[in-house]
Amino acid sequence: MAGRRILRQVWRRGARWRDSTSFSTRAIAPACDISIDRGAPFGSRVFELWRGYSSVGTSKQRQCWSCGAAAQAEVFMLCPACKIIQPANRSVNFFDIFDLKKEFELDTGELEKRYKNLQKKLHPDLYSMKSSKEQEYSADQSSQVINAYQVLLKPLSRATYLLETFGVDVEEEGTVTDPEILMEVMEMQETISSCSDSNKLQALKEKAYSRMLEYQKTFAEAMKRSDLDAAKEAVQRMSYFHRIINTIIQKL
């Protein structure tokens, strides 16, 4: 009952939170007798509140649809008992999918290795002769793994996603008001539009890439000291130079 009261208070306050994944699914909270839309604003935080007040965790509630064995972890892709593929859990953290620490700096080579190992178990081609349910679950699981891999592979999307897991909604066009940054970006954009020299454009791309690396470092340092405001600002600045790089690539 206490959990239900807290949930109602959160919804009434209308606080704005963003879900930590790009999926829009519904997480059912039977202990509180309510249905939570995880794709809706502040659905993720309400879900976390429910989990904290529920005496039974999400992973313990999940069971194998085939043999009934209980899930032993939040990431429940294959049943440990009967080895049957399971429905995708859309609330799972992308870092957890690959059993990685929830932090910005990661080994992309190790990420790729774990991605390939998962696809060897989940790829739809492996289930072409299985039941329609298993084929559906395989497609969903494989799609989720691909999405998680693509998000975590690239620094900008990884940083944005990491902030979202902490409830920070990043608006890339956001509130960058530093006149020096704005002037630098404007000058780069003007150079791109007027320049046809591929060598000059390549040099400008390398400069923009160097600037983006600077803000990646700034972001990582801000996250280590739990300064979410500084981390958000770093992501917004990263996005400016990321767009410069893409514009140059399209022109070259």
Side-chain angles (χ1 to χ4, degrees):
M1 293 300 292
R4 189 181 301 179
R5 286 196 297 272
I6 292 293
L7 290 169
R8 287 173 179 168
Q9 290 171 10
V10 170
W11 284 105
R12 282 199 294 268
R13 287 172 188 165
R16 186 172 181 269
W17 283 303
R18 185 172 178 175
D19 190 11
S20 62
T21 74
S22 60
F23 299 100
S24 178
T25 57
R26 299 189 70 80
I28 307 302
C32 297
D33 193 27
I34 64 170
S35 179
I36 302 168
D37 189 345
R38 302 229 40 212
F42 51 85
S44 177
R45 291 296 187 179
V46 174
F47 180 77
E48 293 302 321
L49 280 171
W50 162 74
R51 256 202 334 193
Y53 279 93
S54 174
S55 60
V56 183
T58 304
S59 62
K60 292 182 180 179
Q61 289 182 346
R62 300 191 72 200
Q63 292 182 326
C64 173
W65 63 271
S66 179
C67 73
Q72 301 300 313
E74 189 75 13
V75 180
F76 186 43
M77 296 179 175
L78 296 170
C79 175
C82 66
K83 311 302 180 184
I84 296 294
I85 195 164
Q86 301 299 306
N89 178 5
R90 298 305 190 189
S91 67
V92 71
N93 186 286
F94 285 178
F95 291 92
D96 289 341
I97 287 177
F98 301 104
D99 195 22
L100 294 170
K101 292 182 179 179
K102 187 179 167 183
E103 56 190 23
F104 178 67
E105 295 171 320
L106 58 77
D107 184 341
T108 55
E110 182 63 24
L111 172 65
E112 182 180 11
K113 178 182 176 181
R114 298 186 184 197
Y115 163 73
K116 289 180 177 179
N117 285 338
L118 285 175
Q119 288 293 36
K120 289 177 182 178
K121 302 174 183 178
L122 305 173
H123 197 278
D125 288 351
L126 301 172
Y127 295 85
S128 59
M129 303 301 291
K130 301 291 185 178
S131 67
S132 59
K133 180 178 288 189
E134 289 171 276
Q135 291 176 21
E136 177 186 351
Y137 293 162
S138 170
D140 287 346
Q141 290 276 20
S142 180
S143 175
Q144 184 177 30
V145 169
I146 291 172
N147 185 38
Y149 172 70
Q150 291 175 340
V151 167
L152 298 185
L153 180 64
K154 300 174 183 178
L156 180 56
S157 56
R158 186 194 317 143
T160 302
Y161 176 76
L162 185 57
L163 279 180
E164 289 178 345
T165 66
F166 286 94
V168 179
D169 184 6
V170 179
E171 298 175 7
E172 293 183 358
E173 297 292 345
T175 56
V176 177
T177 57
D178 187 332
E180 292 184 7
I181 293 292
L182 296 176
M183 183 61 67
E184 182 180 10
V185 170
M186 287 177 62
E187 289 176 353
M188 285 184 170
Q189 291 172 335
E190 290 174 359
T191 300
I192 295 170
S193 62
S194 62
C195 182
S196 57
D197 187 324
S198 60
N199 290 329
K200 289 183 178 179
L201 288 173
Q202 183 65 35
L204 185 62
K205 187 181 81 169
E206 291 175 0
K207 180 180 178 181
Y209 181 69
S210 176
R211 295 289 279 144
M212 190 170 174
L213 287 178
E214 289 179 24
Y215 288 114
Q216 287 179 29
K217 182 178 179 181
T218 300
F219 175 84
E221 292 172 348
M223 291 302 295
K224 286 179 181 178
R225 63 176 186 270
S226 301
D227 188 343
L228 297 180
D229 289 334
K232 178 178 179 178
E233 183 177 277
V235 169
Q236 290 169 339
R237 296 186 179 199
M238 285 166 60
S239 69
Y240 277 112
F241 294 104
H242 182 263
R243 283 193 292 275
I244 291 291
I245 293 169
N246 283 342
T247 303
I248 295 173
I249 291 174
Q250 291 172 6
K251 190 166 184 178
L252 284 174

